[in-house]
Amino acid sequence: MTNPLPTEPPIDDLNRVQILAAMGMTAIALFLVARLWLFFFRTDLLAVQWSGLSVLLGVGLGVGITAASSLIYYLWDGYRRSADFYLDLILRPLAWPDLIWLGLLPGLSEELLFRGVMLMSLGFNGPALVLSSICFGVLHFSGSQHWSYVIWATVIGFVLGYSAIATGNLLVPIVAHITTNLISSLAWKLKMLNAL
């Protein structure tokens, strides 16, 4: 008889205020790390250049990432379990208007650090893209049973980083990240509403 895989200890349900506070504190922490990195390493920040085309590219990329995530969700059981765990933990307590913060806070703070500062500081090239993508993936680690989510986040980090390199504009991955978070969180909330 083989022993089953050990399971993660259950995480206590978090309430809405705790989730919003954690999102806010994480965003502040990532902003501070980015700011300190800029100060101590004297690196440039990737520019944000406002244009309609950049916004459209970001939205299109975000929709594409969301579509790919939906496909992977149905094809990869491990990813589906990890995504369900993560989304249930974060989204269930949130009210509908809170989803705006879920889109904006990670979209701005994570893109500032990983694409705006880290990618630039490490060389704004292929090796920098790989390393910053791995760091982005590890940020999404939520337990040893959920490595598939880390792998997916690493791939998404690569796509977002590549969009920053290809366009030279931090606005594209910011808009893509916000779009992805908003669409996927709205879809999950609607799915849960329909399941009632």
Side-chain angles (χ1 to χ4, degrees):
M1 183 169 124
T2 60
N3 291 331
L5 291 174
T7 58
E8 301 269 334
I11 295 177
D12 293 335
D13 287 339
L14 301 174
N15 64 40
R16 177 178 178 253
V17 172
Q18 290 169 321
I19 294 289
L20 291 172
M23 285 185 341
M25 295 301 291
T26 301
I28 290 169
L30 293 176
F31 279 124
L32 287 174
V33 169
R35 186 72 182 142
L36 290 171
W37 192 315
L38 288 170
F39 179 78
F40 286 111
F41 293 100
R42 303 283 183 210
T43 189
D44 291 326
L45 174 65
L46 181 60
V48 173
Q49 302 164 14
W50 289 93
S51 75
L53 179 59
S54 296
V55 171
L56 284 175
L57 284 171
V59 169
L61 182 59
V63 169
I65 289 170
T66 306
S69 179
S70 296
L71 181 62
I72 297 296
Y73 181 88
Y74 288 105
L75 296 177
W76 186 7
D77 188 51
Y79 174 72
R80 182 172 44 257
R81 284 193 310 270
S82 293
D84 283 342
F85 170 82
Y86 184 78
L87 293 171
D88 186 61
L89 178 70
I90 302 300
L91 293 175
R92 187 173 299 279
L94 295 181
W96 289 91
D98 299 335
L99 301 184
I100 294 168
W101 293 113
L102 185 65
L104 289 175
L105 290 175
L108 292 170
S109 62
E110 292 174 11
E111 293 311 310
L112 173 68
L113 177 59
F114 292 102
R115 264 60 74 180
V117 174
M118 186 182 292
L119 185 60
M120 288 291 287
S121 177
L122 297 175
F124 207 59
N125 55 23
L129 176 59
V130 170
L131 185 56
S132 64
S133 300
I134 291 169
C135 291
F136 179 74
V138 169
L139 176 74
H140 292 82
F141 178 75
S142 60
S144 61
Q145 301 271 328
H146 304 286
W147 278 104
S148 55
Y149 200 77
V150 172
I151 292 167
W152 179 248
T154 301
V155 170
I156 297 309
F158 188 89
V159 170
L160 293 170
Y162 184 80
S163 76
I165 290 173
T167 63
N169 188 355
L170 187 58
L171 183 64
V172 174
I174 287 173
V175 171
H177 197 148
I178 291 169
T179 300
T180 299
N181 284 2
L182 285 174
I183 293 172
S184 57
S185 60
L186 285 168
W188 190 89
K189 280 288 213 186
L190 285 170
K191 179 181 158 186
M192 291 300 105
L193 189 65
N194 290 334
L196 295 178

